[in-house]
Amino acid sequence: MATSATKLSAYGLFGGSFDPVHRGHIYLAEKAQQSLGLQDMALLPAAQQPLKGSANVSAQQRLAMLSLAVAEAPSLSVDARELRRSGPSYTVDTLLEWRLEHDEKACLCFCMGLDSLMQLHRWHRWEQLFELANLIVLARPGWSWAEGTKTQPPQLQAELNARQCFDIAPLLAAPKGRWMLLEAPLMDISSTKIRQQLAAGVPASQLSELPQSVANYIEEHSLYCAN
């Protein structure tokens, strides 16, 4: 008898710079956690993302803001393991470490955006990601997968075509090795835009995109101000 998807323990990791964390991050993490029925969704702040360069504030300040935001979202947690490592944050190393700490039969869902999927072939040891987790790709409604693959190299296209799931149940029935698109209406919020507004002198308390506790922290520590 096949194992029911609901019988597997299922967990999520939602990576990003969170520089700073905003309501869009929290919304997407909660949406994915609820849609997939995950036991836990952990937001995973990167110490240094190889493809994005350095963060604008210290890792500990980003962690502090993220912890404040998650305190208001009881279904979410924070996983700070990448901040404890030196050098670039390679997702494959994080997933390897997570696997060593959990039941090998647990279903691990690593969440990413469409932009990340489109350049997955640039990630360090990207092929190994499927040996460690399922990938959940957050997509706007109506997004065409066929259209998005036109710029991908053949090796990545073949890998994704072979592993794609179209329903949640079969994905959750596997601890790793699959991926699917999860429709999630994206809020028009950008950390880059928030940083630009703060640098221009807009008070953090006036930015509705920020959780109030995060806005208070930014103002208290004078973060993202123009030099």
Side-chain angles (χ1 to χ4, degrees), residues 91-92 95 120 123 125-133 135:
T91 298
V92 66
L95 300 184
L120 190 66
W123 288 33
R125 306 204 312 273
W126 68 268
E127 300 95 332
Q128 196 174 352
L129 297 176
F130 288 109
E131 299 174 12
L132 301 166
L135 303 186

Side-chain angles (χ1 to χ4, degrees), residues 182-201:
L182 183 66
E183 283 197 356
L186 301 184
M187 303 172 71
D188 186 20
I189 304 177
S190 161
S191 291
T192 299
K193 183 177 179 181
I194 290 172
R195 293 195 302 269
Q196 291 171 345
Q197 290 176 297
L198 293 170

Side-chain angles (χ1 to χ4, degrees), residues 46-220:
Q48 179 184 340
Q49 292 183 301
L51 299 181
K52 291 190 176 181
S54 301
N56 288 263
V57 299
S58 73
Q60 292 307 312
Q61 287 171 325
R62 287 187 292 118
L63 176 60
M65 289 186 285
L66 188 57
S67 297
L68 288 170
V70 167
E72 302 173 16
S75 65
L76 305 180
S77 64
V78 177
D79 187 327
R81 70 179 69 234
E82 292 195 353
L83 302 186
R84 297 191 290 266
R85 296 202 303 260
S86 59
S89 297
Y90 292 123
T91 298
V92 66
D93 293 331
T94 296
L95 300 184
L96 277 167
E97 188 176 284
W98 191 96
R99 277 292 173 197
L100 291 174
E101 300 170 358
H102 293 78
D103 183 347
E104 63 180 12
K105 295 182 180 179
C107 174
L108 174 59
C109 297
F110 183 80
C111 300
M112 63 172 61
L114 282 172
D115 57 337
S116 295
L117 184 70
M118 292 300 98
Q119 57 179 335
L120 190 66
H121 56 285
R122 298 179 59 198
W123 288 33
H124 185 60
R125 306 204 312 273
W126 68 268
E127 300 95 332
Q128 196 174 352
L129 297 176
F130 288 109
E131 299 174 12
L132 301 166
N134 294 313
L135 303 186
I136 304 299
V137 181
L138 302 170
R140 291 180 176 87
W143 183 81
S144 170
W145 168 240
E147 189 69 24
T149 59
K150 289 181 179 179
T151 60
Q152 291 180 338
Q155 182 183 4
L156 178 57
Q157 287 187 39
E159 194 75 21
L160 294 177
N161 288 338
R163 296 180 180 277
Q164 186 174 11
C165 283
F166 296 92
D167 296 299
I168 292 174
L171 180 131
L172 294 180
K176 57 193 176 183
R178 301 177 181 179
W179 79 276
M180 72 172 291
L181 291 169
L182 183 66
E183 283 197 356
L186 301 184
M187 303 172 71
D188 186 20
I189 304 177
S190 161
S191 291
T192 299
K193 183 177 179 181
I194 290 172
R195 293 195 302 269
Q196 291 171 345
Q197 290 176 297
L198 293 170
V202 178
S205 57
Q206 293 185 14
L207 298 179
S208 60
E209 301 91 339
L210 294 170
Q212 188 59 54
S213 57
V214 174
N216 293 342
Y217 184 93
I218 289 173
E219 292 189 344
E220 179 184 353

